[in-house]
């Protein structure tokens, strides 16, 4: 089902700038942001921590006035808190001493809605988010996913025209997050909630492509919009479809920095003309450690030659890690410095599952990896003997190197949940991802 996109602007940000002052220093958190959200539109804001996403949400909902620029709601300048907008946070603060019903009812009471309207509306909302039967339960009796549903019901109780979501699924386990996303999309696309537009802040690229009509990509220092991608796929979206992956790749490309990542020579696949590039032998935990270290530094670049001493790691290992980070689009090297891309920062900040998804998308584009998955997908039971793959790789690499390459391919593929390996039978399998089926 498609959403009901219109050309009627609901919210406009015009040349919005936010400067924070700390002591005598002035710091531009958001620079010249121009953004229009239309009725019927689901917009996702994507970008590394500190690029000003929360600041923008506060400005949009009127909790904060920008240093410069204007906010127009239905073409009228916004003064004070926007009564038509609500935010759902990562973890929704429910009152533990109130039941599910009372928590939702409270939001309606706060808007002075009379009791005879409040009660049926609260019950209806609880029903719509799938919590029928839990009206009298207390928050402590609910799972994280259920509590977040109460949060959604409470946010929707006031029938906001603009629903702002601040990483609403990131604190949930994988399955709860996936089912809640599906349920929200069903409510939204079927038009059964009065919400006119949704703005969601996210760190999760696939989530943004799964849900949004438009993805606005931001970068930091200063916080600004660097690109926009329209997602014109019909709902419910099929995560494993080629069209879906194409959009995901496009967004990843933007976060990885178009020019730098393209400058990295990925090589060709075995059997093709050209040179098959060997993958660096690294453990993903070490790569994640390096990215986390770089993300936490106060500067955005670091001299590579100082890293071995700072991290107490062998210089050759640092070079392998740097090479892996470059191949994957997490960092680039310039004049002896390593610099994280927005994607690298996103990876460093992401949850375990989101990291796996980012990693999966990145290794799928490596020629050597693509070659192996194609080979497996054409094999019986989507599986092949280790020896068979090793023999094929020996046409490209010396025996010992072929073995190391296969080891790396399997380790990376297992981490990304794209491959599995049966040690007893020495069989390499292509995984069928759980997310292949779309939640209903
Ligand atoms: P994001 O939500 O993308 O992580 P934020 O909007 O929270 O970004 O922050 C953008 C930048 O502004 C960050 O560098 C942050 O430290 C800074 N910042 C946010 N709020 C304030 C504030 N009230 N005073 C000073 N600096 C702030």
């Amino acid at each position: 089902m498609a959403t009901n996109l219109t050309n009627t602007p609901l919210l406009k940000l015009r040349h919005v700038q936010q400067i924070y002052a700390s002591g005598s220093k002035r710091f531009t958190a958001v620079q010249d942001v121009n953004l229009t959200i239309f009725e019927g539109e689901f917009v996702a804001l994507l970008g590394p921590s500190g690029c000003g996403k929360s600041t923008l949400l506060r400005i949009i909902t009127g909790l904060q006035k920008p240093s410069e620029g204007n906010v127009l709601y239905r073409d009228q300048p916004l003064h004070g808190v926007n009564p038509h907008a609500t935010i759902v946070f990562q973890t929704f603060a429910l009152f533990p001493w109130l039941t599910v019903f009372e928590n939702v009812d409270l939001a309606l009471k706060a808007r002075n809605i009379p009791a005879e309207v409040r009660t049926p509306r609260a019950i209806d909302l609880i029903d719509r988010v799938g919590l029928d039967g839990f009206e009298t339960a207390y928050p402590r009796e609910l799972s994280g996913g259920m509590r977040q549903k109460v949060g959604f019901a409470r946010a929707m109780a006031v029938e906001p025209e603009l629903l702002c979501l601040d990483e609403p699924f990131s604190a949930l386990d994988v399955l709860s997050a996936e089912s809640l996303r599906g349920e929200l999309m069903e409510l939204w696309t079927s038009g059964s909630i009065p919400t006119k537009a949704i703005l969601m802040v996210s760190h999760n690229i696939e989530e943004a492509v799964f849900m949004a009509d438009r993805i606005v990509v931001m970068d930091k220092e200063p916080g600004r919009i660097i690109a926009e991608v329209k997602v014109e796929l019909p709902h419910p979206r099929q995560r494993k479809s080629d069209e879906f992956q194409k959009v995901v790749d496009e967004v990843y490309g933007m976060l990885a920095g178009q020019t730098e990542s393209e400058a990295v020579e990925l090589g060709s696949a075995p059997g093709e003309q050209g040179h098959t590039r060997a993958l660096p032998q690294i453990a993903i935990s070490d790569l994640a450690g390096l990215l986390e270290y770089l993300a936490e530094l106060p500067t955005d670049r670091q001299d590579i030659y100082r890293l071995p001493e700072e991290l107490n790691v062998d210089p050759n290992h640092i070079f392998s890690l740097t090479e892996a980070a470059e191949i994957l689009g997490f960092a680039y090297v310039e004049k002896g410095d390593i610099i994280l891309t927005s994607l690298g920062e996103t990876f460093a900040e992401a949850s375990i599952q989101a990291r796996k998804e980012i990693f999966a998308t990145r290794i799928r584009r490596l020629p050597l990896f693509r070659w192996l998955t194609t080979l497996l997908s054409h094999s019986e039971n989507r599986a092949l003997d280790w020896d068979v793959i090793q023999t094929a790789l020996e046409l490209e690499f010396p025996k010992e190197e072929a073995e190391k390459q296969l080891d790396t391919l399997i380790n990376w593929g297992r981490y990304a949940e794209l491959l599995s390996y049966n040690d007893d039978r020495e069989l390499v399998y292509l995984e069928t991802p759980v997310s292949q089926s779309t939640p209903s």
Side-chain angles (χ1 to χ4, degrees), residues 20-22 27 29-30 47-56 58 64 201:
Y20 291 119
S22 111
F27 162 76
V30 170
S49 274
C51 71
K53 300 180 298 288
S54 310
T55 299
L56 278 186
R58 286 199 298 273
Q64 179 173 333
V201 164

Side-chain angles (χ1 to χ4, degrees), residues 344-376:
E345 289 200 27
T346 306
F347 182 89
E349 291 154 6
S351 65
I352 292 173
Q353 191 56 32
R355 279 187 179 183
K356 284 174 182 276
E357 285 182 8
I358 293 174
F359 199 79
T361 312
R362 296 313 283 177
I363 61 172
R364 270 199 216 105
R365 56 194 272 290
L366 300 179
L368 199 51
F369 202 83
R370 237 184 357 226
W371 166 82
L372 178 58
T373 51
T374 312
L375 210 63
L376 289 168

Side-chain angles (χ1 to χ4, degrees), residues 12-292:
K12 282 186 194 162
L13 297 181
R14 289 286 166 265
H15 304 294
V16 162
Q17 178 134 324
Q18 181 65 51
I19 293 168
Y20 291 119
S22 111
S24 57
K25 278 197 191 140
R26 282 159 61 83
F27 162 76
T28 307
V30 170
Q31 188 177 62
D32 197 27
V33 165
N34 291 289
L35 177 68
T36 303
I37 298 171
F38 295 91
E39 269 192 35
E41 196 177 27
F42 190 138
V43 177
L45 271 187
L46 213 61
S49 274
C51 71
K53 300 180 298 288
S54 310
T55 299
L56 278 186
L57 274 193
R58 286 199 298 273
I59 290 174
I60 287 168
T61 47
L63 294 172
Q64 179 173 333
K65 192 172 161 13
S67 316
E68 279 182 46
N70 9 51
V71 185
L72 301 176
Y73 193 81
R74 293 200 179 280
D75 284 327
Q76 298 300 314
L78 184 66
H79 298 294
V81 174
N82 185 343
H84 306 288
T86 308
I87 307 188
V88 175
F89 295 100
Q90 203 176 92
T91 45
F92 210 89
L94 300 175
F95 296 108
W97 59 89
L98 298 181
T99 63
V100 166
F101 172 81
E102 287 163 344
N103 264 289
V104 178
D105 187 54
L106 194 72
L108 295 163
K109 248 189 209 164
R111 301 250 166 156
N112 295 324
I113 297 171
E116 61 273 21
V117 180
R118 259 180 12 229
T119 307
R121 202 197 282 180
I123 289 179
D124 176 48
L125 276 164
I126 293 166
D127 193 12
R128 267 196 263 172
V129 296
L131 287 178
D132 192 17
F134 287 91
E135 291 83 355
T136 55
Y138 285 91
R140 63 169 184 277
E141 299 171 58
L142 307 178
S143 67
M146 290 161 98
R147 280 200 289 269
Q148 195 67 347
K149 284 182 182 184
V150 182
F152 273 104
R154 207 160 84 170
M156 287 188 294
V158 295
E159 307 201 329
E161 286 191 323
L162 179 60
L163 182 62
C164 297
L165 310 175
D166 193 356
E167 299 209 44
F169 309 106
S170 60
L172 302 176
D173 63 274
V174 182
L175 291 179
S176 307
E178 195 58 0
S179 78
L180 200 49
R181 279 182 204 118
E183 283 160 22
L184 175 66
M185 287 317 287
E186 217 169 274
L187 287 174
W188 167 242
T189 55
S190 65
S192 49
I193 45 174
T195 304
K196 294 278 191 282
I198 301 181
L199 176 65
M200 175 175 77
V201 164
S202 175
H203 260 121
N204 183 327
I205 296 139
E206 304 219 356
E207 168 181 286
V209 178
F210 182 66
M211 302 176 84
D213 299 306
R214 184 158 52 112
I215 299 172
V216 175
V217 183
M218 296 183 70
D219 204 354
K220 64 180 189 182
E221 287 164 18
R224 65 202 187 281
I225 294 176
I226 53 163
E228 291 199 359
V229 182
K230 279 202 170 146
V231 191
E232 285 168 332
L233 308 173
H235 293 285
R237 292 181 179 155
Q238 307 298 321
R239 283 178 185 265
K240 294 297 158 207
S241 72
D242 290 346
E243 297 80 11
F244 189 96
Q245 287 303 324
K246 215 173 131 220
V247 183
V248 169
D249 282 344
E250 194 182 341
V251 179
Y252 272 92
M254 282 165 179
L255 286 166
Q258 295 92 325
T259 48
E260 293 85 358
S261 71
E262 279 159 15
V264 177
E265 179 58 67
L266 293 178
S268 54
E272 285 177 7
Q273 259 199 344
H275 164 71
T276 304
R277 182 175 179 162
L279 299 176
Q281 314 287 300
I282 55 112
I284 295 154
S285 52
D286 290 350
L287 176 65
L290 174 66
L291 298 178
E292 281 166 20

Side-chain angles (χ1 to χ4, degrees), residues 360-406:
T361 312
R362 296 313 283 177
I363 61 172
R364 270 199 216 105
R365 56 194 272 290
L366 300 179
L368 199 51
F369 202 83
R370 237 184 357 226
W371 166 82
L372 178 58
T373 51
T374 312
L375 210 63
L376 289 168
S377 67
H378 290 102
S379 307
E380 200 178 338
N381 299 326
R382 294 153 67 86
L384 278 173
D385 283 335
W386 167 287
D387 285 347
V388 173
I389 308 171
Q390 155 120 17
T391 308
L393 279 173
E394 281 173 18
L395 298 174
E396 300 290 328
F397 302 106
K399 191 171 171 27
E400 213 173 292
E401 182 62 33
E403 194 173 336
K404 283 186 187 162
Q405 287 299 309
L406 184 48

